[in-house]
């Protein structure tokens, strides 16, 4: 994980001063304020969906660099504190900025995907990630294509891991998804297609058969 070239590429989306801060955090984490670094990454993730999809890799790299240099976890603590703050204010964020809300869900799922404790996902993130996905499966969210797209993408990315951590909550989430697919009358054609695809994806053991991939993704591209 954390090829230098890819980290450099992601850093280019920041202003020059912030680029220098992040480069230093990756190479000499003890020389910078790592809580500030955590806030910078979260702030940018809430504004840039492309970055939010990949920020976990950068966070993992900083955590590894800090652990190797000083055996500490200042950055990880700052990152998790900020994620918790945004999580507690998630309804306000969704009301204020639907795009920011989608970016937040993408980011927290990305962090869940990358951060490990003893090679296991962080238990502290399991319920917050589930809560975000449950919010995306509510009827008012399912009527918004961007939120449906986010829900399905995150389940593709972390659904299998989440299910291993708490099968009951995944069952409950898919009850909501199935009910939305079957009962809501204002779903767009794309939302219906995406929901049916993720239902079948989980039913197949979190795998996509070649036939299903051809069916769903030729439909999406059309």
């Amino acid at each position: 994980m954390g090829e230098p070239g890819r980290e450099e590429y992601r850093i280019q989306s920041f202003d020059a001063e912030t680029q220098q801060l992040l480069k230093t955090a990756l190479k000499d984490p003890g020389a910078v304020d790592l809580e500030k670094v955590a806030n910078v990454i979260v702030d940018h993730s809430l504004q840039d969906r492309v970055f939010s999809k990949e920020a976990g890799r950068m966070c993992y790299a900083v955590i590894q660099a800090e652990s190797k240099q000083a055996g500490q976890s200042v950055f990880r603590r700052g990152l998790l504190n900020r994620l918790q703050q945004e999580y507690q204010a998630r309804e306000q964020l969704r009301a204020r900025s639907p795009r920011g809300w989608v970016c937040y869900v993408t980011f927290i799922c990305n962090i869940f995907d990358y951060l490990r404790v003893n090679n296991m996902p962080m238990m502290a993130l399991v319920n917050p990630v589930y809560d975000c996905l449950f919010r995306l499966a509510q009827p008012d969210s399912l009527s918004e294509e961007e939120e449906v797209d986010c829900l399905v993408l995150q389940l593709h990315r972390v659904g299998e891991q989440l299910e291993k951590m708490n099968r009951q909550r995944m069952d409950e989430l898919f009850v909501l998804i199935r009910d939305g697919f079957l009962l809501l009358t204002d779903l767009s054609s794309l939302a219906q297609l995406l929901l049916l695809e993720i239902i079948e994806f989980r039913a197949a053991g979190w795998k996509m058969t070649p036939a299903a991939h051809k069916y769903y993704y030729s439909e999406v591209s059309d």
Side-chain angles (χ1 to χ4, degrees), residues 99-206:
R99 174 61 59 88
W101 156 242
V102 165
C103 286
Y104 174 74
V105 178
T106 303
F107 180 61
I108 194 173
C109 289
N110 196 244
I111 295 298
F112 175 78
D113 193 27
Y114 271 97
L115 268 58
R116 291 286 186 270
V117 176
N118 298 325
N119 208 34
M120 290 286 291
M122 293 189 67
M123 283 300 299
L125 291 177
V126 172
N127 281 327
V129 169
Y130 262 123
D131 289 344
C132 289
L133 298 180
F134 268 77
R135 184 62 187 85
L136 289 174
Q138 298 302 315
D140 59 336
S141 290
L142 293 178
S143 67
E144 302 292 334
E145 281 187 359
E146 190 173 20
E147 291 186 88
V148 175
D149 183 60
C150 180
L151 172 64
V152 171
L153 283 173
Q154 303 324 311
L155 283 169
H156 270 280
R157 182 163 200 161
V158 300
E160 187 172 10
Q161 293 179 65
L162 277 173
E163 183 167 70
K164 288 175 181 175
M165 305 301 283
N166 189 328
R167 173 67 184 253
Q168 181 179 345
R169 288 209 75 185
M170 188 61 72
D171 288 342
E172 292 167 355
L173 176 61
F174 270 80
V175 168
L176 282 179
I177 291 172
R178 282 194 299 271
D179 284 352
F181 173 74
L182 293 170
L183 302 176
L184 293 180
T185 58
D186 60 346
L187 291 182
S188 69
S189 296
L190 178 58
Q192 290 177 325
L193 191 72
L194 290 170
L195 293 178
L196 181 58
E197 185 269 320
I198 198 63
I199 290 168
E200 294 195 354
F201 184 71
R202 186 199 181 205
W206 301 101

Side-chain angles (χ1 to χ4, degrees), residues 4-176:
R6 295 190 66 174
E7 302 309 335
E8 292 286 335
Y9 173 77
R10 276 186 285 281
I11 286 172
Q12 298 307 313
S13 62
F14 292 88
D15 62 62
E17 182 181 349
T18 305
Q19 285 186 40
Q20 190 56 49
L21 176 71
L22 294 174
K23 286 177 182 177
T24 305
L26 289 163
K27 293 172 184 172
D28 184 13
V32 294
D33 180 346
L34 289 172
E35 286 199 30
K36 179 180 180 182
V37 173
N39 283 318
V40 163
I41 292 174
V42 175
D43 287 340
H44 201 66
S45 294
L46 295 180
Q47 298 166 14
D48 183 340
R49 191 171 178 192
V50 173
F51 180 75
S52 71
K53 291 178 181 179
E54 294 294 340
R57 188 187 296 270
M58 182 181 291
C59 292
Y60 174 84
V62 175
I63 288 168
Q64 291 296 100
E66 183 190 11
S67 177
K68 185 176 180 180
Q69 184 185 69
Q72 295 183 320
S73 55
V74 174
F75 174 81
R76 185 172 73 177
R77 186 166 59 249
L79 175 67
L80 294 176
N81 284 342
R82 180 65 192 280
L83 280 173
Q84 183 179 31
Q85 290 171 17
E86 298 296 338
Y87 165 76
Q88 290 171 340
R90 61 194 182 280
E91 283 296 339
Q92 295 94 310
L93 174 61
R94 183 179 181 271
R96 183 176 71 251
S97 172
R99 174 61 59 88
W101 156 242
V102 165
C103 286
Y104 174 74
V105 178
T106 303
F107 180 61
I108 194 173
C109 289
N110 196 244
I111 295 298
F112 175 78
D113 193 27
Y114 271 97
L115 268 58
R116 291 286 186 270
V117 176
N118 298 325
N119 208 34
M120 290 286 291
M122 293 189 67
M123 283 300 299
L125 291 177
V126 172
N127 281 327
V129 169
Y130 262 123
D131 289 344
C132 289
L133 298 180
F134 268 77
R135 184 62 187 85
L136 289 174
Q138 298 302 315
D140 59 336
S141 290
L142 293 178
S143 67
E144 302 292 334
E145 281 187 359
E146 190 173 20
E147 291 186 88
V148 175
D149 183 60
C150 180
L151 172 64
V152 171
L153 283 173
Q154 303 324 311
L155 283 169
H156 270 280
R157 182 163 200 161
V158 300
E160 187 172 10
Q161 293 179 65
L162 277 173
E163 183 167 70
K164 288 175 181 175
M165 305 301 283
N166 189 328
R167 173 67 184 253
Q168 181 179 345
R169 288 209 75 185
M170 188 61 72
D171 288 342
E172 292 167 355
L173 176 61
F174 270 80
V175 168
L176 282 179

